[in-house]
């Protein structure tokens, strides 16, 4: 169920760049991943806003379905003047979300 919308929603929620967020499933560090508890399953997002996503806290999956998330794109900084938006150059963050943060 995980999609690029879900990737963007998670990157955005973590205050990371999200305009070009992407993901893949799989293992990148079995020694670490195998020791972690799976916290979310069946993540579905209607937009790139985390509050519009649903998930199950009961999993029926394995770590081969872990999400390797890449947060990429410009970040926006808003000032007290809503007309002023500062854009920061593209940056990447790749992380494995075996146990993603809860908000």
């Amino acid at each position: 169920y995980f999609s690029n919308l879900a990737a963007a929603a998670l990157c955005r929620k973590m205050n990371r760049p999200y305009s070009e967020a992407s993901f893949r499933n799989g293992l990148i560090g079995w020694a670490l991943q195998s020791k972690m508890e799976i916290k979310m399953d069946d993540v579905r997002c209607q937009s790139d806003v985390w509050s519009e996503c649903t998930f199950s806290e009961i999993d029926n999956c394995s770590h081969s379905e872990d999400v390797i998330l890449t947060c990429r794109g410009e970040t926006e900084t808003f000032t007290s003047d809503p007309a002023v938006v500062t854009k920061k150059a593209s940056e990447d963050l790749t992380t494995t979300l075996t146990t993603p943060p809860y908000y």
Side-chain angles (χ1 to χ4, degrees), residues 4 6-8 11-12 14 17 22 25 27 30 36 38-39 58 63-64 71 73 76 83 87-88 91 97 99 102:
N4 283 334
C11 288
R12 187 176 188 184
M14 295 186 302
S22 61
N25 294 99
L27 303 172
W30 177 249
M36 305 299 277
I38 297 171
K39 297 286 189 178
I58 300 170
H63 286 289
S64 64
C71 299
E76 296 181 340
K87 292 198 175 199
K88 184 178 168 187
E91 60 178 281
L97 293 176
T99 55
Y102 280 88

Side-chain angles (χ1 to χ4, degrees), residues 5-80:
L5 273 178
L10 278 168
C11 288
R12 187 176 188 184
K13 185 64 179 173
M14 295 186 302
N15 293 318
R16 303 302 304 170
Y18 62 92
S19 63
E20 300 171 35
S22 61
F23 76 99
R24 69 178 175 87
N25 294 99
L27 303 172
I28 60 170
W30 177 249
L32 175 63
Q33 284 174 265
S34 64
K35 295 176 185 174
M36 305 299 277
E37 183 181 354
I38 297 171
K39 297 286 189 178
M40 295 189 308
D41 194 10
D42 301 331
V43 177
R44 293 182 179 101
C45 295
Q46 300 301 315
S47 76
D48 63 6
V49 177
W50 184 245
S51 62
E52 295 184 23
C53 300
T54 61
F55 60 90
S56 171
E57 292 184 30
I58 300 170
D59 77 270
N60 61 353
C61 53
S62 68
H63 286 289
S64 64
E65 297 177 63
D66 283 355
V67 170
I68 294 104
L69 181 66
T70 300
C71 299
R72 179 180 296 133
E74 290 182 335
T75 56
E76 296 181 340
T77 304
F78 297 92
T79 66
S80 57

